[in-house]
């Protein structure tokens, strides 16, 4: 699980990641540099209708708010989400959050879009005196949990039913593919945070970074990213994270900070810490491209499942190419609700 991260972190530059020139890794056929793909709101009660999941092209999706969210919720996706949590722990050197919670331990914490619940469960263990609540569209979280942790089925885009000024800390990670109205969403967070409470918004860039011109503009990975962003634009989901600070300011938050941490895709960096992150990120791509792209490409762009899967596989193979050095930038935004609340502020709802 995570820790409070008392160890001192080394300073990692946010760009110009040095490539390990002596690095060689075999992920597939050497001639093609391919990886094989075979590595390892109204809160509603749980009813049979919630778990009567629809299936598309062999993947299982959410029943609640059906069709609005394009990532799957099956066991393959749950494994990917848990691995991604592991990657975030590596990015943060074992910490669960960058929020300054040590001085004033939270009493109530909300994890929005909790997925498998792994972050919330780690928080419940780290802060046993706090009440940890995780919400998601599907009940894919464990049934046996710590007594200070619970999970609810809810749509974060609906009106929240919690009391105002209720949570000391709200955690929102990787929701750019599900939140359409960020102004309303930030207003909800503001309304339900206690005065002085913190919010952490974590989102990733919509383009891959590359510092050494090793990322061809016409490769399948580049085509995938262009196609993916086009579909997001059509759905109105391509406005994060570039406007996160603007949304936080508009909601009334103060002490807003932004930090960028890169996730290399592949063990190509020279730095050992980034190399390890890159290894896990590469393994994660074995299912991530299909998770993000399959339903989006077929539903929004009208692609056939065969064409969509071919593009996903081509992108994943490019990530396994030792000559392509790309990384994904992750944006960590922290903000605080002021103590002197202006009830007439539009962020206060």
């Amino acid at each position: 699980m995570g820790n409070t991260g008392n160890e001192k972190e080394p300073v990692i530059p946010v760009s110009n990641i040095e490539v390990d020139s002596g690095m060689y890794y075999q992920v597939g056929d050497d001639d093609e540099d391919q990886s094989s793909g075979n590595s390892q709101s109204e809160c509603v009660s749980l009813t049979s209708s919630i778990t009567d999941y629809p299936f598309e092209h062999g993947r299982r999706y959410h029943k609640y708010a059906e069709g609005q969210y394009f990532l799957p919720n099956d066991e393959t996706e749950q494994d990917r989400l848990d691995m991604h949590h592991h990657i975030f722990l590596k990015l943060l050197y074992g910490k669960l959050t960058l929020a300054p919670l040590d001085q004033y331990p939270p009493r109530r914490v909300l994890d929005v879009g909790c997925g498998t619940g792994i972050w919330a469960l780690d928080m419940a263990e780290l802060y046993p005196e706090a009440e940890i609540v995780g919400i998601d569209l599907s009940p894919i979280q464990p049934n046996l949990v710590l007594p200070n942790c619970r999970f609810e089925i809810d749509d974060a885009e609906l009106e929240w039913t919690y009391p105002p000024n209720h949570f000391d800390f709200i955690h929102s990670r990787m929701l750019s593919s599900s939140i359409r109205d960020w102004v309303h969403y930030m207003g909800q967070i503001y309304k339900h945070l206690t005065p002085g409470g913190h919010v952490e918004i974590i989102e990733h860039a919509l383009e891959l970074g590359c510092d050494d011109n090793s990322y061809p503009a016409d490769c399948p990975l580049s085509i995938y990213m262009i196609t993916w962003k086009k579909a997001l634009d059509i759905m109105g989901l391509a406005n994060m994270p570039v406007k996160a600070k603007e949304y936080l300011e508009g909601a009334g938050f103060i002490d807003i900070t932004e930090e960028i941490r890169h996730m290399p895709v592949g063990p190509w960096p020279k730095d050992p810490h980034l190399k390890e992150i890159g290894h896990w990120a590469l393994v994660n791509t074995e299912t991530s491209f299909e998770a993000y792209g399959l339903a989006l490409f077929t539903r929004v762009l009208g692609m056939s499942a065969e064409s969509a899967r071919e593009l996903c596989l081509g992108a994943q193979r490019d990530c396994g190419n030792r000559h392509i050095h790309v990384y994904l930038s992750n944006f960590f935004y922290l903000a605080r609700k002021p103590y002197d609340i202006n009830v007439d502020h539009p962020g206060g709802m």
Side-chain angles (χ1 to χ4, degrees):
M1 60 159 284
N3 56 53
T4 55
N6 293 323
E7 68 274 20
K8 183 176 178 60
E9 296 181 20
V11 177
I12 303 291
V14 298
S15 61
N16 297 319
I17 300 175
E18 186 176 0
V19 177
D20 184 356
S21 58
M23 179 275 298
Y24 178 87
Y25 62 98
Q26 183 78 11
V27 291
D29 183 79
D30 185 44
D31 293 331
E32 298 186 18
D33 291 320
Q34 298 177 4
S35 85
S36 64
N38 292 321
S39 301
Q40 303 302 306
S41 132
E42 178 182 358
C43 183
V44 299
S45 60
L46 180 59
T47 65
S48 59
S49 63
I50 298 295
T51 56
D52 185 19
Y53 301 120
F55 286 79
E56 294 180 32
H57 313 303
R59 300 302 301 268
R60 193 185 75 187
Y61 294 87
H62 302 272
K63 179 64 176 179
Y64 185 43
E66 183 176 353
Q68 297 183 32
Y69 186 65
F70 58 83
L71 271 75
N73 69 352
D74 51 26
E75 287 73 16
T76 299
E77 175 67 358
Q78 293 174 43
D79 290 342
R80 185 191 73 82
L81 291 173
D82 285 348
M83 187 185 302
H84 209 172
H85 175 71
H86 174 74
I87 293 171
F88 271 108
L89 287 177
K90 291 295 181 181
L91 281 171
L92 299 183
Y93 293 86
K95 295 185 290 187
L96 290 170
T97 175
L98 294 176
L101 302 182
D102 291 344
Q103 187 174 3
Y104 302 103
R107 299 165 301 167
R108 300 186 186 93
V109 175
L110 177 65
D111 185 20
V112 186
C114 65
T116 64
I118 189 169
W119 183 90
L121 290 169
D122 279 358
M123 282 291 287
E125 186 174 351
L126 186 61
Y127 295 101
E129 301 301 319
E131 174 189 358
I132 315 295
V133 179
I135 63 172
D136 200 86
L137 293 176
S138 291
I140 57 174
Q141 303 79 29
N143 292 321
L144 297 177
V145 299
L146 293 170
N148 63 322
C149 182
R150 74 174 190 271
F151 299 105
E152 299 173 350
I153 310 306
D154 208 349
D155 185 348
E157 292 202 282
L158 301 179
E159 291 297 321
W160 295 6
T161 58
Y162 305 107
N165 307 321
H166 187 67
F167 295 103
D168 301 297
F169 178 48
I170 294 180
H171 178 257
S172 173
R173 187 167 75 185
M174 310 297 284
L175 296 185
S176 61
S177 59
S178 57
I179 302 296
R180 290 165 176 80
D181 188 347
W182 281 91
V183 173
H184 179 260
Y185 180 60
M186 294 295 192
Q188 295 268 64
I189 293 174
Y190 187 96
K191 176 180 178 180
H192 297 281
L193 268 177
T194 57
H198 288 86
V199 58
E200 183 175 47
I201 306 290
I202 306 169
E203 296 295 339
H204 62 72
L206 299 182
E207 296 88 14
L208 293 170
C210 178
D211 297 331
D212 61 358
N213 298 316
S214 63
Y215 178 30
D218 58 349
C219 69
L221 177 59
S222 179
I223 295 172
Y224 176 99
M225 297 302 295
I226 293 171
T227 307
W228 180 65
K229 190 172 184 299
K230 176 183 177 182
L232 290 177
D233 282 331
I234 293 173
M235 293 188 69
L237 292 171
N239 55 356
M240 282 289 284
V242 292
K243 293 186 178 180
K245 186 174 182 180
E246 175 185 327
Y247 294 145
L248 287 165
E249 290 175 343
F253 287 101
I254 60 174
D255 300 338
I256 302 169
T257 63
E258 175 193 89
E259 183 171 337
I260 303 173
R261 300 202 178 196
H262 292 322
M263 181 186 75
V265 185
W268 54 264
K270 186 175 182 179
D271 177 82
H273 180 71
L274 292 177
K275 182 184 290 290
E276 182 182 7
I277 292 173
H279 163 75
W280 287 111
L282 179 60
V283 175
N284 198 253
T285 65
E286 293 175 2
T287 60
S288 63
F289 285 110
E290 182 174 292
Y292 277 92
L294 183 58
L296 194 62
F297 294 163
T298 55
R299 293 178 192 173
V300 180
L301 300 180
M303 295 175 62
S304 67
E306 181 181 3
S307 297
R309 280 202 167 96
E310 183 179 352
L311 182 55
C312 294
L313 181 59
Q316 195 265 331
R317 285 173 173 168
D318 278 345
C319 288
N321 184 334
R322 65 182 180 272
H323 302 298
I324 296 179
H325 309 134
V326 295
Y327 56 83
L328 187 64
S329 298
N330 293 274
F331 297 79
F332 293 78
Y333 292 94
L334 289 175
R336 182 172 64 84
K337 182 175 178 176
Y339 287 103
D340 52 335
I341 303 174
N342 177 3
V343 294
D344 295 325
H345 193 287
M349 307 291 287

